[in-house]
Amino acid sequence: MQYDLIVIGGGPGGYVAAIRASQLGMKTALVEKGELGGTCLNRGCIPTKTLMHTANLYREAGEWETLGLELGQRSYDFAEIHQRKNDVVHQLRDGIAQLLKANKVDVYAAEGKVIDGNTVQAGEETLTAGHILLAAGSVPAVPPIKGADLPGVVTSDALLEAQGMDCQRLLIIGGGVIGVEMASVYASLGKEVTIIEAAERILPPMEREISQNLTMILKKRGVTVFTSAMVSGICQDQNGLVCHFTDKKGEQTAAADVVLLSVGRRPCTAGLFADGFTVELTQRGFIAVDDQFRTSVATISAIGDVIGRVQLAHAAEAQGIAAVEYISGQKEATVNFTLVPSCVYTTPEIASVGMTADDAKKAGKEVTTGKYSMNGNAKTKIEQQDRGFIKVVFDKETDVILGAQLMCARATDLIGELVTAVSLGLTRQQLGKTMRPHPTFCEGITEAVEEADGQGIHIMPSRR
């Protein structure tokens, strides 16, 4: 079968790219060996956030008496929690299938193997096209530590697929985004949770204050956190699993029923190319691409996790749109794929975009910052939210916003406004002119901007 474009991988990057290509007039095929939606929908973003929503409701129900509400004995059904998660996933997966059909994209439920620059083997079918787009995604990495193959030592896939894994004691190796989100879910359900992180703090890529605040909140909820800790091995005894590690205090052990390996992800390139054919790979095994997502083979492009730039669903979507627009002959993409917001769905939520103050200073820029403690925000008080803040960073010379860091309720929604502001190069004055409704969480943006002006007028006195 002859096509203009063959996309391998039906995750957020792949299916969005296929739809955009069809909209641009290309005859398009999508090859996916597993479920449509990829990791994000089936074993990542969507199931995690569905579980998080349920777990947060359960935790908040324990505080109802402070609101004048009465609740009987709290309880939950772990299997039913996961069944609801599965229902959400299935509904969204069906929606993707309908979108692809409506946009006349041919879907092949098979493993895709690139034979050459214009040919893909999809199961028993041989497909040819002028261009091929690789959106094969990634899988959880398994560190080379003794005991990583023991029963009960799992990756995030096992915790998120089917009925998940119920346990009383969960130990998480890795304090990155996946690690802290799963810690939040299990801790909110009353489980014993331990995090072991090799770096000096959890969420190491985030601003230090965010990491410190989240550590305090997790500990308050019963999570034990070890940092600057190196795991030497995992063994099994009569009571379950035992993790051996070394931190600043020396050799330590921690017991668990389940150990989650959450130390990053590796690209899905195994089996992607036929014997004797490949494209250039980076030293870490990701597919190397240029600024238009073209590989070393002119007719093959690649996007998303498999190129290793930013392993986020929304980044893959933006890259997919840009890649097919370049393939179609457009000189510029209609989407800004370089400005990527980062989100962590703990409670409170965390979100950031652009530069931190430290980033800007390292780049030789003088900055003006504005920070507002959300303890003084009326909506935060009303909804009994935890400590948090909104911080904005401006170029001191031009007053143009360079970035923002949020740790507060609805941070992952609020960041959208600030992504737009950074993308458009809005100034402090332009952001300050915007009227935001009251009482809302987004008022905190106004307060942070005014703090940068030295003119903050707080509805409630904030506690810094």
Side-chain angles (χ1 to χ4, degrees), residues 78 82 152-155 158-161 163-167 186 258:
F78 195 82
H82 276 267
V153 180
V154 301
T155 67
L159 289 189
L160 296 173
E161 287 182 324
Q163 300 306 311
M165 297 189 72
D166 194 3
C167 65
Y186 276 76
V258 172

Side-chain angles (χ1 to χ4, degrees), residues 10 15 19 36-37 41 91-101:
Y15 82 76
I19 290 171
L36 290 174
L41 175 54
Q91 289 169 15
L92 293 173
R93 191 189 299 152
D94 290 344
I96 293 170
Q98 293 170 14
L99 276 173
L100 290 165
K101 182 177 180 181

Side-chain angles (χ1 to χ4, degrees), residues 151-153 165-171 236 239-241 255-259:
V153 180
M165 297 189 72
D166 194 3
C167 65
Q168 186 56 39
R169 302 174 300 169
L170 175 67
L171 186 145
Q236 198 162 24
N239 296 317
L241 296 164
D257 303 314
V258 172
V259 173

